[in-house]
Amino acid sequence: MARYQGDQQRNMPGPEADQPLRMVPDTGEHTDADGVLRKYVDPGATLARASTARKAIDSFMKVRSGDMKAGTIDLREVESTEGAATLRVRYQQFHNDLPVVGATVQAVADIKQASVIQVDHTGETDVADAPDPGDARALSDVLNVALAPFKKDYGSAEVIKDELVYLRFTTRPTLPEHDYPSASVALLKKGKKPDGALHLVHDLLVETTGPFEQFRVVVDAVAGTLLWIELVGKYVTASLKVFSPDPVTESNDSTLHGGSSAAKLNGFRHDVQAEVALASGGKFRLDGEWFRCIDWDTPTFAQPMETSATFSYETYPRNRAFLSANAYYWLDSTARYLRTLGNTTLNANMVKVDVDAQGADGEDNSEWIGSTTPPRIRFGEGGAPDAADFGVIVHEYTHGVFDWLGANHGGSGSYEHSICDVLPAIYRDRFNPDGHRRTETFPFDNNVNDQWSTERRLDRAERFDDAGFNSYPFNLRNSMLGTALWRCYLGMGGDSSDPAVQVAAADAMIRTMLEMLLIVPDSTSTSVAHAVSMAQGCVAADSALTGGLYSKVMDEAFVNQGLWARRPVDVYIADNPADLGAQPSGPPHWTSPDIWVRNNGISTGDNPELGHQQPINDQPNFLYVRVHNRGIQAAASGGFQVEAFRCDPGTGMIWPTHFESLGTVVINEAIPPGGSVRVGPFTWTPQIVGQEGLVAVVHGAADPAITATLNGPVPHDRVIRFDNNVGQRNVAPQMAAPGGKTNTTIALRGGLTSTTGSWHLDATALPDDTRISIRTLSRIVGSATLTNLKVTEKGSVRTTLEMNGGSTAVVDGFHLEADDRAAADITIDFSRHGEHLRLYPFVATQYQDSLIAGRMTIQITAVEKLEDFFFGNPRSGELHVSTCPYWSKLGAGSKVPFLRAEDAVARGYNGCAYCQPALNTG
């Protein structure tokens, strides 16, 4: 049978043709009460396809123009933006040659699949109530109305930008819960209540001094009345030797706070390196490619200048210059990190930022101001100075990321803060090896002594479907979405004890969130719908980036936060006996009880429900799969299919490259909620001695498997763990008599590119008097560092190593080329003191570039009682029973146990002429 290769599985629709895959709840088309197509969602990229992403969007806009009633309005393309995996095109509606604010069509296509994945249409199809532009007052006529609110509390105010636009007045910006240092709640309340009418307005940018700030001021151009005032800057309310990441996180000492002494805090400084510009006038400054520390806001504090490029200061109680160094380093580190994630638009739009680490006139607050040139960040010094906390520093910079991606999700008052809180927390995790206070967004700034919020955390138990949601304040709401996003990261590998796995998960989640901001339409709402759109955008972004590798893990996190209900049909194949369909599944993920083998077909009278039998080589065997439904609706008959695969045993297996299909069976019966069905048999003739890797995938449009959409090959264990539609069974129990030997072969495989590997061998479950011999290629051993392994034989081609039971061993630092394969023959000289029929696992785990590439278990069943067993002599090839007259002459290594004679015969044994004459062929 031919092997699956590359992208051949991409966009498999399943049994229901022309149906988009239900990767998020809103998959499909959505129209309003007038029949206008308002939303199209197909994250699987299965339907609207073309030769390029641009052509897919152009075709959709042309073919579906009538459904969107786009022909009756003036739509003009205003932006084309490319992310790491998606193309976004925005069309702005105009009326009377003026833009209609908020009236847009946004179309997003998957670049690799050249298919439209999402379209959002907020255009105004009825503009009959639009005022005539000729009735608009000049700016000079409304200037007093626009500037009057600032006369009392500001030194000066001037309009620096004016745009005449139409605007449907249905909502106002969300109000903060408390005054900002440069903007009171009373000021931001000024204006009128929304009336739902289409207004002609002057959309103004007003800049103030004393204090400095920038505001959006919207004035009705016909009536000359103020509609609302909005703060343009984005706040986090509260609020080279540097902290890493901050004193509270590093120490887990909750008593450290803004008033702690320099003597106490100095111990948490770390030596780091960062790039700064060449000296000017003999002085080095904190001025580099992406940031410049300057004093632009009160209070006045001269920024550090040094005669050598060394910015080493005692902490801020004694030297406030430390705050500049700390802020500069972590901002620069974050910016350079984000540029490695491949988001084309972000990398193209990032600009240098001016930073005042001793700003906000002593207030416990910080702010990003993106409307200035260059953009600015100021950090307050109230409580624990904000520039001393990693979370606050990166939070403010993340507001800039929104600006550069052309995304607006409410600034300080809505779900923009969810990303601004969780992105730093995920990035910070790699600098927090002890895992302290991982879910606290600002551990030092928001310490118990200076605490300004109990809501800003990433472990909120509140749900979006709570009966009391409407009473939740916006800070709690953004923390709830932040919690869901944090749980996505944990599910993607952030919960691993392996730092490299954590880092890979962080990169994947942050890349996903950046891509999401190109997909989800702008909104400043704090409603559930806005949070849902951002969550669904993450799934769509992952689909474009990876083909949906993490989509099921994210879906599970969003379901558990109440963003949407679990999919009505949720089929699964258990990964281990304790698995009930969780995504990701817990270890082990390669012992599925829902995949089993029988040696005889049903036609012979065999009962498949009697459980798993070890396959017999060179004759047909019969594979069965059990599919469960943990949903609330029945899985329709004919709506799902199961495909089974086999693979040569080994670690580092790549999906689908190393897997061979055994066939596909459509499930022609309904699976009720909470029920299950048996599927099969799949018939195949195995030829591998011992281990046999088996995988089953259940797939359908109502609950698609991620294998249907993957962009390319991936390590197979991720597919198994991240999708409950996929199950694996590759543990082949082998029996060992007291003092007997068990032999098997494991293949170490190369990855998608050349890798440096490590092989961890865990024999802690085996008795101490067990001896394990590993014979593998000398090129693997020669360049490696060995731990708890003794070289017993060394050759030019192969080398033999030995370890003891009750211990662990490591082969570290060997090199494998892409798709390389190195066999390792393992002989386990089993203990003479094993407990009868007890399972003794020996576990071999392979790492590629510090990431787990796979794990194999050799599960040995001890045989103490000899009756009813057959024993093979590997030396003579004969099969005996314990009553054979030659039994006493057989050594311990010449007694390989078998429950059935057929298993032994299938492996080449011949019956002893004395005790098994019926099986003796001469």
Side-chain angles (χ1 to χ4, degrees):
M1 280 176 264
R3 293 179 185 269
Y4 277 77
Q5 297 293 335
D7 288 348
Q8 283 185 307
Q9 283 195 295
R10 181 65 162 125
N11 305 117
M12 289 199 310
E16 296 180 83
D18 300 322
Q19 291 295 313
L21 301 179
R22 193 184 187 282
M23 300 178 73
V24 295
D26 287 344
T27 295
E29 299 184 2
H30 304 272
T31 59
D32 63 17
D34 296 323
V36 179
L37 178 61
R38 290 295 184 180
K39 194 175 188 71
Y40 170 90
V41 182
D42 180 19
T46 53
L47 300 180
R49 313 190 76 187
S51 58
T52 67
R54 180 70 215 209
K55 288 182 178 179
I57 290 175
D58 289 345
S59 175
F60 186 97
M61 293 298 293
K62 181 179 179 180
V63 172
R64 305 305 300 273
S65 175
D67 297 329
M68 295 189 292
K69 293 190 177 179
T72 63
I73 58 178
D74 180 5
L75 277 180
R76 306 178 191 178
E77 182 178 330
V78 293
E79 177 195 291
S80 178
T81 302
E82 187 173 313
T86 55
L87 172 68
R88 178 183 72 193
V89 178
R90 281 179 173 169
Y91 304 86
Q92 173 66 55
Q93 181 179 349
F94 285 76
H95 183 62
N96 294 327
D97 218 28
L98 297 175
V100 183
V101 175
T104 62
V105 174
Q106 176 174 295
V108 181
D110 182 317
I111 293 173
K112 186 170 184 179
Q113 299 304 317
S115 180
V116 176
I117 60 173
Q118 186 161 324
V119 177
D120 291 272
H121 175 15
T122 58
E124 295 273 355
T125 57
D126 182 3
V127 291
D129 59 341
D132 189 288
D135 296 333
R137 302 186 187 198
L139 174 61
S140 58
D141 294 335
V142 299
L143 199 57
N144 185 58
V145 172
L147 299 181
F150 306 100
K151 288 182 178 180
K152 179 181 177 182
D153 298 318
Y154 296 84
S156 68
E158 65 173 325
V159 172
I160 61 174
K161 183 181 177 182
D162 170 33
E163 188 177 11
L164 189 65
V165 300
Y166 285 104
L167 182 145
R168 180 74 68 183
F169 191 20
T170 56
T171 60
R172 286 177 54 111
T174 303
L175 291 171
E177 295 170 5
H178 308 285
D179 290 347
Y180 290 133
S182 57
S184 67
V185 175
L187 173 69
L188 299 175
K189 277 185 176 180
K190 292 183 182 294
K192 294 185 173 297
K193 292 182 179 180
D195 58 12
L198 189 62
H199 291 252
L200 185 62
V201 303
H202 284 285
D203 198 347
L204 307 173
L205 183 63
V206 173
E207 183 172 290
T208 65
T209 62
F212 173 88
E213 194 53 84
Q214 290 190 336
F215 297 89
R216 181 188 182 193
V217 179
V218 180
V219 177
D220 188 302
V222 177
T225 54
L226 176 69
L227 297 187
W228 80 74
I229 299 173
E230 180 180 9
L231 185 67
V232 173
K234 298 170 181 178
Y235 276 91
V236 50
T237 302
S239 36
L240 265 78
K241 279 187 181 293
V242 302
F243 292 149
S244 183
D246 67 78
V248 171
T249 299
E250 183 177 1
S251 67
N252 201 28
D253 181 356
S254 61
T255 67
L256 297 175
H257 58 90
S260 296
S261 67
K264 182 174 286 188
L265 295 177
N266 278 339
F268 298 102
R269 295 174 303 161
H270 296 263
D271 292 315
V272 295
Q273 291 182 328
E275 294 183 2
V276 295
L278 296 174
S280 174
K283 299 287 187 177
F284 289 92
R285 297 165 176 80
L286 291 170
D287 185 353
E289 183 178 6
W290 299 109
F291 300 93
R292 176 179 64 159
C293 286
I294 66 168
D295 184 43
W296 62 268
D297 193 25
T298 55
T300 300
F301 181 81
Q303 291 301 298
M305 293 189 293
E306 302 292 344
T307 55
S308 65
T310 301
F311 300 87
S312 178
Y313 309 107
E314 290 194 82
T315 56
Y316 60 88
R318 199 162 291 168
N319 192 337
R320 291 162 69 200
F322 173 84
L323 300 175
S324 298
N326 198 63
Y328 180 86
Y329 174 75
W330 285 116
L331 286 169
D332 189 68
S333 170
T334 302
R336 294 178 185 278
Y337 163 70
L338 292 175
R339 292 185 67 81
T340 68
L341 300 180
N343 191 291
T344 305
T345 296
L346 178 61
N347 290 356
N349 290 342
M350 282 174 61
V351 296
K352 191 170 179 176
V353 178
D354 283 349
V355 180
D356 188 344
Q358 303 82 11
D361 203 16
E363 296 281 351
D364 189 14
N365 223 312
S366 295
E367 182 184 21
W368 163 268
I369 304 177
S371 51
T372 58
T373 303
R376 296 176 174 182
I377 301 176
R378 57 179 163 199
F379 294 106
E381 294 180 89
D386 290 354
D389 190 298
F390 178 107
V392 180
I393 294 168
V394 182
H395 174 106
E396 293 304 335
Y397 189 64
T398 306
H399 280 303
V401 170
F402 274 74
D403 285 352
W404 293 321
L405 291 175
N408 177 14
H409 291 279
S412 306
S414 184
Y415 295 109
E416 187 163 321
H417 263 194
S418 301
I419 307 299
C420 293
D421 281 1
V422 76
L423 187 152
I426 293 172
Y427 181 46
R428 184 184 65 203
D429 223 24
R430 68 192 64 200
F431 308 110
N432 183 18
D434 295 323
H436 297 151
R437 302 175 182 271
R438 299 174 74 197
T439 57
E440 295 182 20
T441 52
F442 313 112
F444 188 39
D445 185 63
N446 192 28
N447 63 78
V448 293
N449 235 50
D450 306 313
Q451 192 170 63
W452 45 266
S453 174
T454 58
E455 296 171 340
R456 299 289 282 279
R457 300 178 58 89
L458 301 174
D459 54 3
R460 304 302 313 190
E462 295 86 354
R463 295 168 55 93
F464 284 88
D465 55 3
D466 285 347
F469 174 83
N470 289 335
S471 66
Y472 290 165
F474 70 83
N475 269 335
L476 176 56
R477 297 186 189 196
N478 83 65
S479 290
M480 290 161 60
L481 180 57
T483 297
L485 296 170
W486 173 260
R487 288 172 176 168
C488 291
Y489 157 64
L490 295 181
M492 293 158 70
D495 60 353
S496 173
S497 60
D498 188 323
V501 175
Q502 279 191 348
V503 167
D507 293 348
M509 187 60 202
I510 293 174
R511 186 182 292 114
T512 298
M513 291 190 294
L514 297 180
E515 202 75 17
M516 175 271 290
L517 295 179
L518 295 173
I519 295 172
V520 179
D522 290 350
S523 174
T524 61
S525 169
T526 59
S527 67
V528 173
H530 183 195
V532 168
S533 72
M534 295 186 80
Q536 291 186 343
C538 285
V539 176
D542 173 62
S543 180
L545 288 164
T546 71
L549 177 62
Y550 304 107
S551 61
K552 293 290 190 74
V553 170
M554 290 192 290
D555 178 73
E556 188 94 346
F558 297 141
V559 167
N560 290 338
Q561 205 73 38
L563 281 154
W564 56 71
R566 191 175 304 285
R567 63 188 70 224
V569 177
D570 189 354
V571 295
Y572 75 93
I573 300 169
D575 290 340
N576 57 64
D579 182 21
L580 297 176
Q583 299 172 121
S585 59
H589 62 265
W590 57 91
T591 59
S592 173
D594 292 332
I595 302 172
W596 72 99
V597 175
R598 300 295 296 173
N599 299 141
N600 297 298
I602 295 176
S603 62
T604 66
D606 184 68
N607 181 2
E609 299 299 331
L610 292 178
H612 179 69
Q613 295 177 319
Q614 190 171 346
I616 298 177
N617 288 343
D618 301 319
Q619 75 174 46
N621 284 251
F622 303 88
L623 171 68
Y624 296 89
V625 179
R626 191 173 306 283
V627 177
H628 305 265
N629 179 10
R630 65 170 183 164
I632 59 172
Q633 291 181 8
S637 174
F640 285 87
Q641 63 191 32
V642 174
E643 186 165 13
F645 300 84
R646 64 158 300 279
C647 180
D648 293 350
T651 55
M653 295 178 288
I654 302 299
W655 178 274
T657 308
H658 296 142
F659 290 80
E660 181 181 355
S661 176
L662 299 177
T664 300
V665 174
V666 174
I667 305 177
N668 286 320
E669 59 180 300
I671 311 176
S676 65
V677 298
R678 186 184 73 225
V679 181
F682 299 86
T683 304
W684 98 107
T685 302
Q687 298 176 339
I688 302 296
V689 175
Q691 305 266 351
E692 184 77 21
L694 302 171
V695 168
V697 180
V698 56
H699 170 64
D703 183 10
I706 63 175
T707 55
T709 55
L710 285 174
N711 278 340
V714 297
H716 86 287
D717 60 304
R718 299 186 188 182
V719 175
I720 311 300
R721 287 192 64 238
F722 294 163
D723 189 355
N724 63 8
N725 291 44
V726 188
Q728 177 182 2
R729 182 170 190 152
N730 65 343
V731 179
Q734 301 192 29
M735 295 185 179
K741 295 186 187 313
T742 293
N743 298 287
T744 193
T745 298
I746 290 179
L748 297 170
R749 297 183 185 271
L752 299 174
T753 60
S754 61
T755 57
T756 298
S758 182
W759 201 32
H760 293 229
L761 306 172
D762 183 355
T764 53
L766 300 177
D768 294 349
D769 61 338
T770 300
R771 298 292 176 267
I772 300 102
S773 172
I774 302 102
R775 184 170 175 79
T776 190
L777 296 177
S778 297
R779 66 179 171 91
I780 298 294
V781 178
S783 60
T785 300
L786 305 179
T787 303
N788 290 339
L789 285 164
K790 179 173 66 176
V791 176
T792 58
E793 180 183 343
K794 187 173 183 179
S796 59
V797 179
R798 295 177 72 80
T799 294
T800 302
L801 310 171
E802 187 174 287
M803 66 179 291
N804 298 326
S807 68
T808 61
V810 179
V811 182
D812 185 54
F814 56 85
H815 182 79
L816 288 175
E817 295 295 335
D819 206 26
D820 198 354
R821 179 186 172 107
D825 298 323
I826 298 177
T827 299
I828 300 177
D829 193 351
F830 193 65
S831 167
R832 294 180 177 274
H833 306 292
E835 181 181 333
H836 184 57
L837 296 185
R838 176 179 168 180
L839 297 177
Y840 292 88
F842 173 79
V843 182
T845 304
Q846 181 188 349
Y847 291 79
Q848 295 171 346
D849 291 336
S850 299
L851 295 176
I852 292 179
R855 181 177 285 119
M856 290 288 291
T857 301
I858 302 169
Q859 205 156 263
I860 299 169
T861 304
V863 174
E864 283 280 346
K865 301 172 183 177
L866 307 182
E867 299 85 358
D868 300 324
F869 283 89
F870 300 85
F871 298 87
N873 183 346
R875 295 180 176 83
S876 67
E878 291 182 320
L879 186 67
H880 302 270
V881 292
S882 60
T883 55
C884 179
Y886 288 96
W887 179 256
S888 61
K889 298 179 184 278
L890 299 179
S894 299
K895 299 174 182 176
V896 179
F898 294 94
L899 272 173
R900 300 181 309 151
E902 301 99 295
D903 291 348
V905 172
R907 285 156 179 76
Y909 287 97
N910 191 30
C912 167
Y914 294 94
C915 68
Q916 294 292 302
L919 299 176
N920 181 267
T921 57

